[in-house]
Amino acid sequence: MKQITKHVALAVAAGAMLGFAGPGGASASAPDSLDWTRCTGPGLDPGQQCATLDVPMDYSDPDSPEIRIAVSRIPAEKPSARRGALLLIPGGPGGDSLGDPSGKGQKLPRKVRDAYDLVGFAPRGMAPSTSVDCKLDPADISMTKRLPWPAPDGSVDANMTTARRTAEACARNGGELIRHISTANEARDLDRLRAALGEKRISAWGVSYGTYVGAVYAQLFPHRTDRIVLDSNNDPDHTRVTRNWLAAFETGVEDNFPEFAKWASRTGNPNRVARTPAEVRSGFLRLAARLDRDPLPWPGAHPPRLDGNALRQTMLSSLYDPDDYPTLAKTIRAARAGTVPPAPEAPPESVLQNLAAVGVGTICNDVDWPDSAAAYQKGVAASRAAYPLTAGMPRGPMVCAAWPYEPKEPAVRVTDRGPSNILLVQNERDVATPLAGARKLRQALGDRAVMVTVNSTGHDAYLANGNACGDATVSRFLATGERPGRDVYCDW
């Protein structure tokens, strides 16, 4: 959900700078072709190209109006070695990969870049594709509102109020498109993109929520897949979907906080916060409780106060990448002294509104959520007792608790039926997509997949927070098709 994560908003902002026209009418291109033009925008490879693709808003209605999907690519660097196209499937829901051919795609080894056109896109609802906006109250787009952090006493009453207000705004302002944003429809859009690219089969590198999109695509269109890499993997349980991913933060934080605690207690660390890892943990819990009682003003932040939940959200965001540990440590040190660090940077409100709307549409349309406040309250109480670092948030009610629409179709069940051409790569310590959830996806895929477990910490494994062994294994698979004969553990 993962964008429910901090990284998504920045990715969305990048998509707005790629030289596409604003959202609105359909492209003039034929549905089965793409009219490529040079992209414009800062930081882009001069070889990156842009196009738009028309797809049905509602795949179940032959007369459905069309919406536009924004697409980007960098062609394979060695035409004689070209194998096909590699879809870069973003996290989210609420992320896009329009800038990825020029960004993370350039980290791919030369043999991979020689073999594939690198293809990015903005999923349905995300600008500059035909976009959706719920026009939420600005207070409701903060991370401490989009995630269901409960009140200091554990009450979910305010969460339910926020859910109702958000759901009503989306029903009022989201238009017909808000009802047709889902993982299954994103997978269908990707198959339309495959056809428009002229490919009989498509390869993909899906990250975070993109692993679920990739798995659903491989389920719906198994024989249109070539080499599929799923990186930082979600539990695919079709009866719960995002509810499971939210709950996974309990174990994800417990898997990762000890790494932060070791770093934050290390002698010589200028951001040291305690003498021992145990003191880092106990001190964090005491500070969060103190800020619950007595928040600090935080000018420029959103919301403009450092309370216990703002500290917990800073903790959650900082555990995505060990490079962000100093952000949490500096916040702890400042709050202990009764001050605050500089307010974190945020994308423009319009970007956050778009991100929130796509996230809401996807998670609520994929699967039905309970609407009983009492059931959530019971889960939050149990979670607070067992996992104090996350204070019950992973069992709280998101906007889907008040969503006025039933899902238009059941969530896709990922199974072991299909070709054996999937490679999972997974860090052992990942706050957002814990190893336990990745193992569930591995089990669901059966003999279709092999998993590479990486002895590393952080979200996003391949060419990011993983290690040399894991990177080499994935690169070899993409470049040559060679895949380990069984699950492997990469220790270095």
Side-chain angles (χ1 to χ4, degrees):
M1 116 182 77
K2 296 315 178 229
Q3 310 182 331
I4 302 184
T5 75
K6 63 169 190 167
H7 299 295
V8 183
L10 300 178
V12 175
M17 301 187 291
L18 292 175
F20 292 96
S27 162
S29 300
D32 59 350
S33 65
L34 294 168
D35 184 12
W36 295 104
T37 60
R38 182 174 174 177
C39 298
T40 60
L44 297 180
D45 187 287
Q48 180 162 315
Q49 303 168 342
C50 289
T52 56
L53 172 71
D54 293 344
V55 300
M57 180 187 296
D58 182 355
Y59 280 92
S60 68
D61 180 1
D63 298 320
S64 171
E66 291 184 326
I67 59 173
R68 185 176 57 187
I69 304 297
V71 185
S72 63
R73 75 170 179 183
I74 294 179
E77 296 183 14
K78 188 176 181 181
S80 63
R82 184 184 182 279
R83 179 177 179 84
L86 179 68
L87 281 177
L88 306 176
I89 306 179
D96 76 71
S97 59
L98 286 172
D100 285 354
S102 293
K104 75 175 191 178
Q106 296 308 301
K107 297 180 181 180
L108 290 162
R110 179 62 184 268
K111 286 186 177 181
V112 178
R113 301 198 314 272
D114 283 348
Y116 296 99
D117 298 346
L118 306 180
V119 179
F121 65 100
R124 58 170 54 210
M126 290 301 308
S129 297
T130 304
S131 64
V132 67
D133 187 340
C134 292
K135 297 180 173 58
L136 303 180
D137 185 312
D140 290 338
I141 61 175
S142 70
M143 285 302 296
T144 51
K145 284 293 187 72
R146 297 211 307 274
L147 290 179
W149 294 102
D153 65 355
S155 169
V156 301
D157 290 347
N159 301 125
M160 292 297 291
T161 298
T162 299
R164 287 189 290 270
R165 186 168 58 242
T166 301
E168 289 167 2
C170 287
R172 184 171 59 250
N173 303 314
E176 183 64 17
L177 178 55
I178 196 76
R179 302 192 63 185
H180 299 281
I181 296 174
S182 68
T183 302
N185 279 339
E186 182 173 336
R188 294 177 180 116
D189 293 344
L190 292 183
D191 199 55
R192 287 293 183 104
L193 176 56
R194 173 202 59 77
L197 291 168
E199 302 294 335
K200 291 183 178 179
R201 296 188 299 163
I202 198 85
S203 294
W205 172 16
V207 179
S208 192
Y209 166 68
T211 65
Y212 183 60
V213 176
V216 168
Y217 181 87
Q219 186 66 38
L220 294 178
F221 307 102
H223 298 294
R224 296 173 187 168
T225 59
D226 189 10
R227 297 170 184 168
I228 307 297
V229 172
L230 304 181
D231 172 359
S232 306
N233 299 276
N234 286 299
D235 181 345
D237 182 350
H238 65 290
T239 67
R240 291 175 57 87
V241 193
T242 305
R243 288 182 63 204
N244 258 10
W245 307 342
L246 184 68
F249 278 127
E250 294 171 340
T251 53
V253 167
E254 291 294 344
D255 287 347
N256 283 265
F257 193 89
E259 299 301 309
F260 167 75
K262 287 187 287 188
W263 174 89
S265 58
R266 190 173 298 150
T267 303
N269 182 350
N271 295 304
R272 191 182 191 198
V273 302
R275 293 173 300 173
T276 68
E279 289 176 349
V280 173
R281 181 185 178 98
S282 61
F284 175 85
L285 292 171
R286 284 196 303 272
L287 179 60
R290 190 189 91 190
L291 293 171
D292 280 338
R293 298 188 300 270
D294 189 15
L296 296 170
W298 200 359
H302 187 53
R305 65 182 182 278
L306 179 57
D307 59 14
N309 285 339
L311 179 67
R312 295 180 186 103
Q313 182 60 52
T314 301
M315 177 266 295
L316 188 64
S317 297
S318 298
L319 294 183
Y320 275 73
D321 187 337
D323 288 345
D324 293 337
Y325 286 174
T327 299
L328 176 56
K330 289 174 181 178
T331 303
I332 291 171
R333 288 163 63 95
R336 283 177 174 170
T339 62
V340 292
E345 295 184 14
E349 182 179 323
S350 60
V351 171
L352 292 176
Q353 289 278 8
N354 185 212
L355 184 159
V358 173
V360 164
T362 306
I363 66 175
C364 298
N365 292 333
D366 271 0
V367 70
D368 197 20
W369 287 50
D371 58 8
S372 165
Y376 289 109
Q377 191 66 72
K378 182 179 179 181
V380 165
S383 182
R384 285 167 69 85
Y387 303 96
L389 288 170
T390 44
M393 179 276 291
R395 302 287 171 174
M398 294 185 73
V399 58
C400 309
W403 196 240
Y405 309 117
E406 293 292 323
K408 287 185 172 291
E409 60 183 325
V412 175
R413 182 184 179 191
V414 175
T415 74
D416 60 358
R417 295 190 297 275
S420 183
N421 60 358
I422 300 172
L423 180 66
L424 279 59
V425 59
Q426 176 70 36
N427 280 349
E428 195 166 14
R429 296 167 296 280
D430 182 331
V431 69
T433 55
L435 180 58
R439 286 173 171 157
K440 295 287 183 63
L441 179 57
R442 172 68 186 86
Q443 181 181 23
L445 289 167
D447 291 341
R448 299 181 68 186
V450 169
M451 187 161 84
V452 180
T453 302
V454 179
N455 180 17
S456 194
T457 301
H459 189 52
D460 297 359
Y462 181 47
L463 304 180
N465 290 314
N467 65 22
C469 166
D471 290 351
T473 304
V474 176
S475 294
R476 185 164 52 247
F477 172 62
L478 287 174
T480 70
E482 181 184 344
R483 193 183 65 165
R486 55 184 173 79
D487 293 351
V488 298
Y489 183 78
C490 274
D491 199 21
W492 48 269

